[in-house]
Amino acid sequence: MPGSPDPSARPGYLSIRHLNKVFRVNDRRLQALLDINLDVEQGSFVTIVGASGCGKSTLLRIVAGLETGEGTVIHDGKPVEEPSLNRGLVFQEARLFPWLTVEQNVALGLENASADARTRERLVREHLELVSLTDFAKAYPRQLSGGMAQRVAIARGIVNRPGLLLLDEPFGALDAFTRAHLQDELQHIWEHEHLTALLVTHDVDEAVLLGNRVVVMSPRPGRIARVIDIPLAYPRDRRSPDLIYFRNQILDELDVIRGPRPVTGKARDIKVPA
Ligand SMILES: Nc1ncnc2c1ncn2[C@@H]1O[C@H](COP(=O)(O)OP(=O)(O)OP(=O)(O)O)[C@@H](O)[C@H]1O
Ligand SMILES: [Mg+2]
């Protein structure tokens, strides 16, 4: 409820409290997440950045309801216990069904929704337009480039207007040019469609370009090291000095996490085995 003292009761709000995740690997305990606390307000764009293995995907999978952890995850006033249409998912690979056309793949996002056939058709058409793929509605995934396939995945992720869009390195497999283009497109879609987004990435530039809050994670065990607000208006220009200022703050934080660099070259005492 608006104005409620407990923010987790607000519509569209994501609240993560004291979340821990332990995996067991060959009888060893692996603490993937340690005491994660995070709030995502409706309408915000939160990005999570951190090194490989710091638990970003695990965190996103728990929020999606694909994985369980210890602690509390509340979205839209309800504990997250299983996947829901109210949480859209976009992964690093588009994960399209090769035997379905582009429009059929997007329509899968509406599979369990209560819309009638005409409404579904209209929604699919509108979302293909949103990601500039109207001309490819009848094409099959094999006929698309990687960037186009990823746009289909984004259309499928938002066609049902989920209360929360979860993106796991959605542009990680794309070349720099396509990635920049899709980042701009996502900024535009988020702003105009009033989405709430949680995106994980290991690309610092992507995190600051898109996020109004950037969560920096540190590894082993995966923790939140710092949260940085980015109070800059959208659409953002990746060349703006303001953005570069925030990018450098995050790079500094990641340097602190990494710790001192190992001594290399002549100063190192190299022992040659006998
Ligand atoms: N199903 C699993 N079983 C065992 N260990 C797992 C499992 N999934 C993840 N892990 C471990 O949890 C830790 C975090 O993994 P996770 O995939 O969340 O990292 P990540 O930050 O997404 O990394 P990347 O940037 O490489 O995608 C890693 O040490 C990984 O080995
Ligand atoms: Mg990952």
Side-chain angles (χ1 to χ4, degrees), residues 1-4 7-14 40-43 75-77 163 196:
M1 255 165 281
S4 159
S8 70
R10 285 186 218 152
Y13 199 94
L14 171 69
V40 178
E41 298 262 7
Q42 190 172 37
H75 175 231
D76 210 17
T196 307

Side-chain angles (χ1 to χ4, degrees), residues 91-94 145-151 154 169-183 203 206:
F91 298 96
Q92 184 168 1
E93 339 76 56
S145 69
M148 289 158 84
Q150 208 52 347
R151 269 144 63 194
I154 291 171
E169 305 205 19
F171 312 131
L174 305 174
D175 65 89
F177 184 79
T178 311
R179 190 183 316 146
H181 178 68
L182 287 196
Q183 286 166 347
D203 179 344
E206 180 167 286

Side-chain angles (χ1 to χ4, degrees), residues 17 23 68 122 150-151 157 161 174 179 189 205 245:
R17 288 285 169 275
F23 288 112
T68 54
R122 177 178 57 77
Q150 208 52 347
R151 269 144 63 194
R161 274 298 167 279
L174 305 174
R179 190 183 316 146
I189 292 172
D205 290 328
Y245 165 80

Side-chain angles (χ1 to χ4, degrees), residues 4-268:
S4 159
D6 175 10
S8 70
R10 285 186 218 152
Y13 199 94
L14 171 69
S15 156
I16 303 174
R17 288 285 169 275
H18 305 298
L19 178 66
N20 289 282
K21 176 70 185 177
V22 174
F23 288 112
R24 300 223 160 257
V25 184
N26 302 331
D27 287 339
R28 271 189 30 240
R29 262 179 112 253
L30 193 151
Q31 181 102 35
L33 296 174
L34 180 68
D35 198 27
I36 302 287
N37 293 284
L38 182 65
D39 293 86
V40 178
E41 298 262 7
Q42 190 172 37
S44 61
F45 200 139
V46 175
T47 54
I48 300 177
V49 68
S52 179
C54 73
K56 303 182 296 296
S57 296
T58 304
L59 177 57
L60 210 72
R61 287 173 57 80
I62 293 174
V63 172
L66 294 168
E67 188 101 59
T68 54
E70 296 150 41
T72 322
V73 181
I74 294 176
H75 175 231
D76 210 17
K78 291 183 280 291
V80 171
E81 283 160 354
E82 56 186 357
S84 155
L85 281 178
N86 199 20
R87 292 182 287 276
L89 269 166
V90 180
F91 298 96
Q92 184 168 1
E93 339 76 56
R95 301 192 186 186
L96 304 179
F97 289 100
W99 59 89
L100 298 180
T101 63
V102 162
E103 60 185 4
Q104 288 167 337
N105 268 288
V106 174
L108 284 179
L110 292 166
E111 207 179 34
N112 300 314
S114 56
D116 60 41
R118 278 177 69 131
T119 310
R120 281 164 194 264
E121 249 173 64
R122 177 178 57 77
L123 286 171
V124 169
R125 203 171 50 243
E126 284 174 5
H127 283 80
L128 285 178
E129 210 170 298
L130 200 61
V131 294
S132 315
L133 282 175
T134 304
D135 292 346
F136 289 85
K138 307 282 182 209
Y140 285 89
R142 64 173 183 278
Q143 297 168 308
L144 307 177
S145 69
M148 289 158 84
Q150 208 52 347
R151 269 144 63 194
V152 177
I154 291 171
R156 183 179 59 190
I158 63 175
V159 69
N160 192 43
R161 274 298 167 279
L164 178 63
L165 181 63
L166 302 168
L167 305 116
D168 191 354
E169 305 205 19
F171 312 131
L174 305 174
D175 65 89
F177 184 79
T178 311
R179 190 183 316 146
H181 178 68
L182 287 196
Q183 286 166 347
D184 289 343
E185 222 164 81
L186 183 60
Q187 278 196 71
H188 175 86
I189 292 172
W190 169 76
E191 216 190 344
H192 288 261
E193 305 295 316
H194 308 290
L195 302 172
T196 307
L198 181 61
L199 175 144
V200 307
T201 181
H202 53 238
D203 179 344
V204 175
D205 290 328
E206 180 167 286
V208 284
L209 179 75
L210 297 174
N212 47 28
R213 267 167 74 219
V214 178
V215 177
V216 183
M217 284 185 67
S218 62
R220 284 181 299 277
R223 282 157 298 171
I224 293 181
R226 195 164 161 201
V227 178
I228 297 172
D229 286 320
I230 317 271
L232 302 175
Y234 295 83
R236 293 171 175 174
D237 180 350
R238 49 178 53 74
R239 284 159 294 232
S240 102
D242 290 339
L243 213 59
I244 291 167
Y245 165 80
F246 286 109
R247 185 195 63 170
N248 290 345
Q249 278 205 4
I250 292 166
L251 289 174
D252 287 347
E253 182 66 39
L254 290 170
D255 271 350
V256 171
I257 290 169
R258 253 197 309 268
R261 291 194 172 83
V263 181
T264 54
K266 281 185 187 156
R268 207 161 110 200

